């Protein structure tokens, strides 16, 4: 009986207490209820950690006045998996698979950031063919990630239901097929190695990839035609949740979220790495920084990624995919020192800061995760909006909790 | 291949044959059979995406894989309308009380699938200071699915195993493989 | 007005020279980490003041905090600040040593608002107390967790594992 009915009320935790305290403080300062005799007209609502539209285990403690959001306290950590500590017990090589599991929607890019850091520490240089392959798989992964982002975001906005998500997930499979063929995994690739990549491209892969890339722009237009002039969609997105350029500077917002505010910050251009300087693509920006612009920047970026991949397929040089001996260096011992390398993930600047003490294990590894930084802006972004918009704004930020919580 | 072929042998129960009489619209069978058949084909899973495995669970629900083929597509976001919890991802010490609470809120009869290495045993993070090594430390688990992440096909096999298990479910807790009905 | 990246074209040597001139006595061990990062050490008493001046510097203007990393160096802890300058498109990495016995350092949230969560994380993981932080709670771990797990001397405690 007692198993079934929840009678014992749990003590509110720190976040809820803080929200209540803030209400009391506001009340004491005379900004509380505007109705005479009513002590509170604010309620504290708990959203998450199990909530269908926070895309994972994000928890928001929201203080509401009617339908208006007065205050938001994000609570994270429900997916904290000790990845930084585990790095101390795994060799540099053994740690690569864990990177796939940080931002699990774009595993390839995360691996790439880590591998680049270690390469910089040790001085290993990848071969030229490997660089091109990395760009190709990285951009494929970016498209797949944006497809998830756009699909789930539109699924949160009621008028469409999951219609668009069905399309985007259908076509994401095409890309996952390609990635599976090169690496053997659908989501967890473990494909990049220090100084190269694990396998060369299988025969026939290039043509297959070209085929998919030829279809991709049409498919993207198809998604766009679903929502771009849908009145309800526009009403719920235009002008909502505006990120100003000052916010970008203050909070270190990166990625599509920053570019939607008109900031041309794209590490592929501003801190070029790999072979990006040789490639011709545009940095997609938009002007207003609202929910709709963030969605549009993602759509445009997919088109640019297609362009990048097509160029890389044309330019793909012959040669080995692994520098040095054919086997990847299983044991790397970087000299003592520390270094940080950032990389343009689908969500923004993703990087790892590694302190090495000259042994086979990283002494300290720290992630710089874009979602973690972007989420900080949340309280400011949501304040004054309607509670229903909280969902569309959080969807447009494209949070991945695996990265935030590490 | 029919559903009954999916039932593992150890769960197989000899049901009395369906009998129809002369008059139309009369069929007899056991109550066990009817309820189990209905239940196993109308499982309502709970959208409880925890980590990377949740993305594969989502893929399983969409085109190409399409979990609707097995009568399990009605994902519900509230535990009170669900009878299957798919724990898809790592459970940590902060999440464990929440998971327990959500499980308690689900109405009986209820089932739990542990999807992926993390939910089963801690997976790649087994030695972390904050990871619960297996969701079975918190709630009882019916089916374990190995993999990191399990492919959608693996998830389907897990679901079919579960359907087999439910089909063998009985009101009298004496049949082999059946879980005793919880008092409550 | 668009926020531009790298409007001021300077070489790393010039930046290092600028810093050495304007922050003489504050920044120690200024060195260049190729290709675009300056690494410097800094005493913890001076952190707040130097942070303000770095942000307000008319040429370099280190405006955006990228991340704060806490490192356990054995004898002492270290709080590492990674800051971005939009104008020069370069980074600076400030290493602030923090003694182990009294792990306290001034907060920089009022200079760089982005420091808020990063400092909370450093407190959570490494136990560095940021003085003056508006809301120094645990962020990733649960509220009643015991210890700071990323310290090298952390031992896994049974009370942190109620579910075994
Ligand atoms: S089993 Fe693997 S894919 Fe699934 S949640 Fe754990 S790490 Fe992620």
């Amino acid at each position: 009986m007692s198993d079934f009915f929840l009678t014992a009320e749990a003590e509110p935790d720190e976040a809820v207490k803080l929200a209540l305290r803030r209400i009391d403080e506001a009340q004491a300062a005379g900004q509380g209820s505007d109705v005479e005799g009513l002590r509170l007209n604010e309620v504290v609502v708990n959203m998450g950690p199990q909530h269908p539209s926070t895309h994972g285990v994000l928890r928001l403690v929201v203080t509401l006045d009617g339908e208006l959001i007065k205050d938001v306290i994000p609570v994270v950590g429900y997916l904290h998996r000790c990845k930084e500590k585990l790095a101390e017990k795994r060799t540099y090589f053994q740690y690569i698979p864990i990177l796939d599991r940080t931002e699990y929607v774009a595993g390839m890019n995360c691996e790439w950031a880590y591998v680049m850091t270690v390469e910089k520490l040790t001085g290993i240089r990848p071969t030229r063919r490997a660089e091109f392959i990395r760009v190709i798989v990285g951009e494929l992964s970016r498209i797949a990630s944006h497809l998830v982002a756009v699909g789930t975001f539109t699924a949160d906005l009621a008028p469409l239901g999951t219609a668009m998500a069905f399309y985007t997930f259908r076509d994401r499979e095409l890309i996952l097929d390609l990635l599976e063929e090169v690496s053997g995994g659908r989501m967890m690739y473990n494909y990049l190695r220090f100084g190269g990549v694990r396998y060369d491209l299988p025969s026939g892969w290039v043509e297959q990839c070209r085929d998919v890339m030829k279809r991709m722009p049409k498919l993207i237009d198809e998604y766009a035609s679903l929502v771009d002039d849908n009145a309800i969609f526009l009403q719920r997105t235009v002008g909502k949740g505006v990120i100003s350029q000052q916010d970008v500077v203050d909070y270190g917002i990166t990625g599509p979220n920053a570019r939607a505010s008109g900031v041309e910050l794209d590490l592929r251009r501003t801190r070029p790495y790999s072979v990006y300087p040789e490639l011709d693509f545009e940095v997609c920006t938009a002007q207003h920084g609202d929910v709709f612009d963030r969605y549009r920047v993602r759509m445009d970026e997919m088109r640019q990624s297609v362009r990048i991949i097509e160029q890389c397929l044309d330019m793909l040089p012959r040669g080995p995919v692994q520098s040095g001996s054919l086997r990847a260096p299983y044991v790397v011992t970087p000299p003592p020192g520390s270094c940080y390398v950032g990389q343009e993930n689908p969500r923004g600047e993703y990087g790892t800061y590694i302190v090495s003490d000259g042994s086979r294990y990283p002494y300290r590894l720290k992630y710089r995760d874009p979602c973690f930084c972007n989420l900080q802006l949340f309280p400011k972004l949501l304040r004054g909006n309607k509670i229903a918009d909280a969902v569309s704004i959080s969807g447009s930020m494209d949070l991945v909790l695996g990265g935030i919580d590490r | 291949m029919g559903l009954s072929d999916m039932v593992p042998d150890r769960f197989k129960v000899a049901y009395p044959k369906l009998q129809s009489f002369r008059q139309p619209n009369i069929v007899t069978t056991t109550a066990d059979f009817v309820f189990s058949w209905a239940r196993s084909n109308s499982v309502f899973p709970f959208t409880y995406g925890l980590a990377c495995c949740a993305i594969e669970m989502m893929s399983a629900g969409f085109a190409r894989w399409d979990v609707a083929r097995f009568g399990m597509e009605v994902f519900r976001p509230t535990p009170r309308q669900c009878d299957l919890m798919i724990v898809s991802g790592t459970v940590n010490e902060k999440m464990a009380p929440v998971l327990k609470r959500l499980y308690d809120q689900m109405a009986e009869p209820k089932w739990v699938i542990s999807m992926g290495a993390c939910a089963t045993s801690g997976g790649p993070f087994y030695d972390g200071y904050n990871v619960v090594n297996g969701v079975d430390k918190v709630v009882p688990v019916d089916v374990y699915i190995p993999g990191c992440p399990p492919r959608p096909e693996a998830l389907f096999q897990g679901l079919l195993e579960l359907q087999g298990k439910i089909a063998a479910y009985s009101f009298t807790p004496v049949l082999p493989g059946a879980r005793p009905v919880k008092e409550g | 007005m668009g926020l531009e990246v790298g409007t001021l074209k300077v070489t790393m040597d010039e930046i290092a020279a600028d810093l050495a001139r304007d922050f003489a006595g504050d920044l120690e061990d200024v060195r260049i980490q190729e290709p675009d990062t300056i690494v410097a050490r800094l005493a913890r008493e001076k952190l707040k003041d130097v942070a303000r001046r770095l942000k307000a510097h008319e040429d370099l203007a280190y405006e955006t905090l990228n991340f704060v990393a806490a490192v356990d160096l054995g004898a002492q802890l270290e709080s590492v600040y990674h800051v971005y300058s939009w104008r020069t498109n370069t980074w600076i990495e400030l290493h602030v040593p923090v003694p182990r016995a009294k792990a306290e350092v001034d907060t920089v949230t009022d200079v760089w608002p982005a420091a808020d969560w990063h400092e909370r994380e450093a407190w959570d993981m490494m136990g560095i107390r940021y003085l003056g932080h508006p809301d120094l709670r645990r962020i990733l771990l649960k509220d009643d967790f015991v210890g700071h797990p990323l310290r090298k001397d952390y031992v896994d405690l049974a009370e942190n594992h109620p579910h075994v």
Side-chain angles (χ1 to χ4, degrees), chain A residues 81 101 188, chain B residues 51-53 88-90 115-119 123-125 147-150:
Chain A
R81 302 190 270 192
R101 287 149 180 89
M188 306 301 167
Chain B
C52 354
C53 281
S88 52
T90 325
M115 178 181 182
C118 282
F125 311 102
C148 181

Side-chain angles (χ1 to χ4, degrees), chain B residues 46 48-49 53-61 75 86 88 115 155:
Chain B
F46 177 34
Y48 191 35
C53 281
I55 306 287
E56 282 299 63
M57 189 169 81
M58 277 158 72
S59 311
F75 278 90
I86 303 179
S88 52
M115 178 181 182
L155 177 62

Side-chain angles (χ1 to χ4, degrees), chain A residues 62-72 236-242 291 294 378-394:
Chain A
V62 191
T63 307
L64 291 177
D65 179 1
E67 236 187 316
L68 287 181
I69 298 176
K70 276 277 162 81
D71 193 13
V72 180
R236 290 202 59 185
T237 54
V238 173
K240 296 275 160 56
V242 177
V291 173
R294 291 200 278 280
F378 237 53
K380 195 168 170 199
L381 216 51
L382 290 188
R383 221 166 274 149
N385 277 305
K386 296 257 166 57
I387 177 75
D389 290 331
V391 170
S392 69
I393 294 173
S394 83

Side-chain angles (χ1 to χ4, degrees), chain A residues 119-233:
Chain A
E119 277 169 0
K120 187 167 170 199
L121 273 173
T122 49
I124 302 174
R125 295 191 67 90
T127 62
R128 197 165 153 75
R129 183 175 171 87
E131 289 277 29
F132 275 94
I133 295 179
R134 283 181 185 185
V135 174
I136 294 172
V137 293
E139 294 298 327
L140 281 175
S141 185
R142 186 185 310 273
I143 298 178
S145 159
H146 280 344
L147 285 176
V148 174
V150 173
T152 51
F153 158 61
T154 48
D156 289 342
L157 301 174
L160 293 159
T162 43
M164 186 155 157
F166 271 102
Y167 287 93
T168 56
F169 271 81
R170 177 195 69 191
D171 303 330
R172 177 172 171 262
E173 296 289 341
L174 298 175
I175 291 168
L176 293 193
D177 282 350
L178 291 173
L179 290 177
E180 189 179 352
E181 223 161 292
V182 294
S183 69
R186 274 165 56 83
M187 279 168 59
M188 306 301 167
Y189 309 109
N190 191 7
Y191 180 56
L192 303 194
R193 292 289 182 267
F194 309 125
V197 294
R198 176 73 181 83
Y199 309 104
D200 203 346
L201 300 176
S203 67
W205 191 87
V206 173
E207 287 69 44
Q208 209 180 327
C209 186
R210 270 216 184 92
D211 264 7
V212 174
M213 287 307 116
K214 213 172 277 157
R215 288 169 62 187
M216 213 60 218
K218 257 188 252 127
L219 294 173
I220 297 170
D221 290 342
E222 194 182 337
Y223 318 140
S225 71
L226 274 175
V227 292
D228 268 6
D229 13 76
N230 180 319
I232 305 175
F233 180 77

Side-chain angles (χ1 to χ4, degrees), chain A residues 5 14 38 58 60 77 82 88 99 102 118 129 143 153 170 174 183 211 224 269 273-274 279-280 297 308 334 353 387:
Chain A
F5 291 103
E14 292 294 321
L38 195 63
L58 172 66
L60 301 172
C82 335
E88 296 168 11
L99 265 294
T102 51
V118 177
R129 183 175 171 87
I143 298 178
F153 158 61
R170 177 195 69 191
L174 298 175
S183 69
D211 264 7
R269 276 272 182 267
Y273 53 91
S274 192
L279 301 171
D280 171 33
V297 165
I308 295 175
Y353 173 75
I387 177 75

